[in-house]
Amino acid sequence: MTLEEYFAALRGKRIAVVGLGVSNLPLVRLLRRYGCGVTACDKRSMEALGAAGEELLSLGCEMRLGEEYLSDTRFDVVFRTPGMHPNALAAFREQGAVITSEMEAFFALCPCRTVAITGSDGKTTTSTIIAELLREAGYRVWLGGNIGTPLLDKVPGMESGDIAVLELSSFQLHSMSCRPDRAVITNISPNHLDVHPSYEDYIAAKRQIFERQGAGDLLVVNGDNRLTAALGAEARCTVRSFSRSHPVEDGVYCEEGMLYDCREGRTEELLSVECIRIPGWHNVENYMAAYAAVGDLVGAESFRRVAESFGGVRHRLEMLRTLRGVTYCNDSIASSPTRTIAGLKAVKERPILIAGGYDKHIPFDELGDEICRRVKALILTGDTAGKILSAVRSSRYYDGAALPIRVIGDFREAVLAASQMAEEGDLVLLSPGCASFDRFKNFAERGDAFRKIVMELK
């Protein structure tokens, strides 16, 4: 089906686009370009939408805004925002509406091969590494999805020899029909329990990435993660795995600091983990997952060149500057405890840690232990400051005399306090362990705010 045929089939239908964010604004433009009527729905006011709201009005959209934005359920087709659980649209479904999304439409129309990546942690970096590997090997690559770039409007420019690399969140996957040619599950741990009604629901969403795969398709799973390994056993396609704790029969593994690829009974030495430019064992895992997914397309030489040169993704252990001997590191992407733990293990210093943010109802017990063991001083801010403080003080490793802790509500003041505490040779690390929505629009805005404050330090 072509893009024109897809939208022609929608003309004359009552269409709602729910949530007017990064992926849905380009969708609305496409719908209107192809003559489809659109009702734009968002909880925000026209004032809060700003320029986006004015554009929607100029495009001729009907508007349903504010607290009652979901009150009218009489639609034929509803495109939901990736951050909304489908259960929130149950009333629309009961009225006969088809619930879909920009990404589901992309899978239906994409003319080229697809590599889809999901997981609780590491999916953005793994997606970016896969894209870098494929580009290094000469492919034309389209990188998008949850990474922040919608691709539906790019379909006319795609060709069959291209490869689309898609980062997919649990929200995007939930109830979505898709069949990627290659899929990766980096890991699974409790996350987004503020939106998913249960951990089981969250896992079920991740399962959608391979549910429709079959013969000729590939799934890559984390052999060190119990849940992903179990999901691999359910798959009806070829399954490869990666592990940094033991050799695997088909996939990529680490042994004594060296990465190996095992394929069709043959084992090939790839490179030493010391050659990987971006720090941390979690990034070693990201590289293993990437090569397990596309190694047959790119080869070991391309893998080595990218590993030795790629500097990482913004907001992911991003070294901002060194001032008066103090280094400042932006790890704003760490929106879960497991991600912050990975960051703490990746850095060599005992950092002054800035943590806290929006409450996703995830336990902080393990993070509390790691803070006590690995952090020089702790600055807590945001809605979860009290919960993290309680977890730290409840840890068996807690020593109040050895771990200074300050709770500061204002984000800027928290960063300045960390700077004032730091001495020459220290590392100030923003790695919140929580989402950003208590103070910021997203993790990128939080990271940019941190960068601005740090770069203004005299």
Side-chain angles (χ1 to χ4, degrees), residues 2-12 27-37 152-153 156:
T2 66
L3 201 68
E4 290 79 4
E5 291 169 339
Y6 178 83
F7 286 108
L10 292 176
R11 278 199 292 270
L27 170 65
V28 172
R29 295 182 191 116
L30 278 174
L31 286 163
R32 294 299 296 138
R33 185 188 307 165
Y34 285 97
C36 300
L152 184 59
D153 60 340

Side-chain angles (χ1 to χ4, degrees), residues 324-327 352 376 418-427:
R324 296 192 302 274
V326 177
T327 301
I352 297 172
K376 178 180 179 180
S419 175
Q420 291 161 7
M421 295 174 70
E423 301 172 340
E424 185 174 351
D426 281 345
L427 172 71

Side-chain angles (χ1 to χ4, degrees), residues 293-341:
V294 298
D296 60 319
L297 299 178
V298 304
E301 283 302 317
S302 292
F303 182 67
R304 284 189 275 269
R305 284 194 294 271
V306 171
E308 292 170 358
S309 62
F310 176 57
V313 184
R314 200 174 187 187
H315 307 297
R316 292 154 177 83
L317 290 177
E318 177 191 14
M319 298 300 174
L320 297 177
R321 72 183 299 194
T322 299
L323 178 66
R324 296 192 302 274
V326 177
T327 301
Y328 294 84
C329 181
N330 170 24
D331 195 33
S332 183
I333 186 61
S335 58
S336 66
T338 53
R339 191 63 179 258
T340 294
I341 291 169

